Amino acid sequence: MDENTNPFPVVAYYESSLFCDREDETNALIRNINNGINTTLISIRRMGKTGIIYHLFDQLNEKKNTKCLYVDLYASQNLKDFTEQIAQTILKTFPEKINAGKRFLKLLKSFSPVISFDPLNGQPEIHFEYSQPKQYEHSLAGLFDFLENQEQNIVFAMDEFQQISNYPESNTEALLRSMFQPLKNIHFIFSGSSKHIMNELFNNSKRPFFASTQMLGLSNIPKEKYLPFIQQKMEEKKRFINAEALEFIAEWSRLHTYYTQALCNRIYAEKAKNIDVNAVKQACNNILKDQEAAFFQYRNLLTSIQWQFLKAIAKEEKVFQPNSANFIQKHKLGSQANAQRAIKSLTDKEMIYQMQNDDKSYYSVYDCFFSRWLERL
C-alpha cells in the first residue's frame, strides 16, 4: 500500500490488508468451492458483497489452478445484455496474448460479434445482433462450454443476479439452470441485494434454481472486530483515535460497511493527528453538508405522505410496526391505508428496507447518511 493511500477505501477493493474481518464468510465460500457447491450470497446494498468476492479472489488467485471471473448484472435488461457481459468478462480474463485467449477469440468470432474498445479505458466491448433468441442461447452455451473445458478451476461470481428475474424472456431462469447444472469445472457465486427476489429465485420450490445452492447472508461486521481494525489502520498512518470517538463511529454509521468506511475515510482525509469525538462529529457534519443538495432532491421525487413517512422511520431508526396506530398517530401520518401505500412505494424505490431481527422484522431508511440528515429535520 502506498504511504499516501487512504486506508479506508470506499469505491473499490484494494488489498487484503485494508479488508476487515469476514473470515467466517470467506471460509464458507472457500469450503463451498472446494466441495463443488454453488453459493447464493445475499445482503442489502453497500454491506460489502463485492468486497468479499474480490477478497476471496485475492486468496484464490494465489493458486495457479484457479481462474476467477466477476460480472455485475445490475444494468442488464435482457438475455442479450447477459450474453454480451459474459463474453466481455471472459475476454478480459483470457486476453489474446495467452493461448486460452487465442482459443476464446477464435470461438468468439464464430458467433459473429461486433467487437469494439472503450475509448476511455480500452476495455473490449462485445455486441451480438441476432434476430432469433435461440442464437443468444447458442452463444451463451458456447461461452460456458469454453470455461468448462479450461484446465484451471473456474470461480464465476455474478453480482446482482436478481436482475434475471426482470428479463423479458420468460424462460431465462430455466435456460440458465439447464446450462449451469451439468458444469463440473465452474463454481458459481450468485450475489444479490434484493433479499425477497433472491429468496424467491433460490428457495421457491416452483422455480428452476430451487435448492441448487447454499445460502450465505452478509450482515454487519461485529463491533469487536471493526473498531480495533479502524484503530489499527489509523495508528499505522500515525493517527491516534480514542475509544469514545470509535464508539461514536460505530453508533452513527450503524456499522453498515459502506457508511462506516466512508466516515472513516472522511475522518482520515481531514488530517487530524489526534482524533476525538468532536473531530468525528465534525466529519459527520461535513458529510451531511456535502450531500444536502442531493437529499433535498429526494423530496421532489416523493409525495408528501411518503416524505413524512420516511422522516418518521429515520427518527425512530427501526420501526417494527409501521402500520400501528401508535406510530401513525405519533408522526401524524394519516390513515393505515396511507401508511401501507407509503411502505410499498418507499420499499420499491429502495428508500427503505426490511430487515429481520431475531423473530421480528423492522424497517429502516436505506441510506444511513440520508437517515441521519432526516433525523435533524
Side-chain angles (χ1 to χ4, degrees), residues 4 8 32 61 109 117 124 153 156 158 193 207-208 321 346:
N4 296 317
F8 304 101
N32 287 351
N61 283 332
K109 288 179 178 178
F117 293 87
N153 293 319
F156 205 141
M158 297 186 176
S193 56
R207 305 288 281 265
Q321 294 180 309
L346 292 171

Side-chain angles (χ1 to χ4, degrees), residues 30 62 81 118-119 213 216 320 376:
I30 293 173
E62 295 177 359
D81 291 348
D118 188 299
T213 70
L216 179 63
F320 289 88
R376 301 180 174 192

